[in-house]
Amino acid sequence: MIKRLLPAKAQRRVGPFIFVDHMGPATFVAGSTEGDVRQHPHIGLATVTYLFSGAMQHSDTLGTRQRIEPGAINLMRAGRGIAHSERIPVDIRQEQVQVEGMQIWLMLPEEQAESEPSFQHYPAALFPVMQVPGCEIKVLLGEYFSQTSVVSFPSRCCYAELKLDPCSNLTLPKSEQQLAIYLAKGSLKQPQLNAGQMLVMTDDLTVLAGDDGAHFMLLGGDAVADPVLLNWNFVARTPERLAQAKADWNSGNFPRLTDDPEWIPAP
């Protein structure tokens, strides 16, 4: 199951965040390929994968083979073109471990949209938990609550995980950036928000957790000027670039994983 928050009719993007998915929680049949995402291409964006539970196996056309587990960050910059697959590890299937997490796409700055692709893995130990009364905060990208992430990104953005104790409150710092909160679990009494909903912040915000606490993600950054075009797995500034990427992928004139014959055609 996927909860897709961005893009939406009411809100196309928040800062450079152009695509936000909440994956799972889900378990997968042992010996099957349920949950596997066959290799597919990207241009013009960066993918960020962050897990709450379980594990996934990332493979890409740079030769990367990287398992990601809860608390770590996988950052893949597509630039001018990269393909990758994401599969559920055998042990996770066999042990029926729930897989749950967030996958987001960030727009690359226009001057880096056609840059060389790259991949970085950041272990969970690199993201310390900040304790404030009634709340745990972990800054994953950018800067927030006077914490700066070790993850380097070429435009100003913010991505943080916050966990509030039941009925505790927290005033979110002011920011010039466009920000939103996504409630992954629990509830908020103020503002009233249920799990699976996103709120784009338009003013200062004090959040009050419900009786079951609140686990939410804060995300955003500097607003990105139009034109911004999103089609399938591609982000570009012109329709011609999107069409070229699709044609290149379907014709085989695009990097592909040589040890994986399965690929998803562009629609």
Side-chain angles (χ1 to χ4, degrees):
M1 293 293 294
I2 298 289
K3 301 178 186 74
R4 180 152 298 161
L5 287 308
L6 294 176
K9 185 176 181 180
Q11 187 79 26
R12 295 290 296 168
R13 59 188 182 269
V14 177
F17 288 71
I18 195 169
F19 182 96
V20 176
D21 271 3
H22 180 181
M23 311 175 290
T27 56
F28 303 98
V29 176
S32 75
T33 58
E34 281 183 354
D36 285 353
V37 181
R38 293 169 291 160
Q39 65 167 309
H40 56 281
H42 292 290
I43 65 165
L45 57 88
T47 68
V48 179
T49 304
Y50 183 75
L51 297 182
F52 302 145
S53 64
M56 297 176 69
Q57 181 67 34
H58 165 95
S59 301
D60 64 39
T61 46
L62 300 176
T64 309
R65 303 293 182 268
Q66 178 65 56
R67 180 179 171 117
I68 183 172
E69 295 181 332
I73 286 278
N74 273 3
L75 171 65
M76 184 183 75
R77 300 187 201 190
R80 59 182 174 79
I82 195 171
H84 72 132
S85 67
E86 291 172 308
R87 299 185 180 274
I88 308 301
V90 172
D91 61 309
I92 297 297
R93 293 182 187 277
Q94 290 177 338
E95 297 169 19
Q96 290 292 282
V97 178
Q98 281 194 336
V99 179
E100 182 181 11
M102 304 293 300
Q103 187 158 62
I104 62 171
W105 296 356
L106 290 165
M107 288 187 58
L108 289 172
E110 187 169 4
E111 65 274 12
Q112 295 198 22
E114 297 294 331
S115 60
E116 289 292 321
S118 65
F119 177 90
Q120 288 87 33
H121 174 77
Y122 298 87
L126 296 177
F127 302 97
V129 175
M130 177 183 179
Q131 301 281 354
V132 299
C135 184
E136 294 182 353
I137 303 168
K138 193 184 294 184
V139 178
L140 306 174
L141 288 176
E143 184 178 343
Y144 203 62
F145 271 96
S146 301
Q147 284 193 90
T148 301
S149 170
V150 297
V151 180
S152 175
F153 193 75
S155 64
R156 192 169 70 144
C157 62
C158 174
Y159 189 39
E161 179 183 30
L162 298 93
K163 296 179 180 179
L164 271 69
D165 295 338
C167 301
S168 64
N169 65 76
L170 179 71
T171 298
L172 301 178
K174 293 180 180 179
S175 176
E176 298 174 353
Q177 302 175 70
Q178 185 180 34
L179 298 176
I181 58 172
Y182 168 64
L183 186 61
K185 295 178 184 177
S187 61
L188 287 176
K189 294 180 179 179
Q190 175 188 319
Q192 289 191 342
L193 206 63
N194 296 318
Q197 292 183 314
M198 175 181 281
L199 172 71
V200 179
M201 296 164 55
T202 57
D203 209 341
D204 298 347
L205 186 65
T206 296
V207 293
L208 173 62
D211 297 339
D212 50 353
H215 177 188
F216 64 95
M217 310 300 288
L218 182 138
L219 57 93
D222 291 337
V224 178
D226 286 320
V228 174
L229 303 177
L230 172 63
N231 191 304
W232 193 44
N233 298 315
F234 304 127
V235 171
R237 269 72 177 180
T238 68
E240 291 79 14
R241 182 65 181 101
L242 292 175
Q244 177 193 344
K246 271 192 176 186
D248 286 347
W249 176 250
N250 282 342
S251 67
N253 189 28
F254 198 105
R256 284 208 187 143
L257 289 161
T258 56
D259 58 352
D260 187 348
E262 295 185 317
W263 58 282
I264 303 173

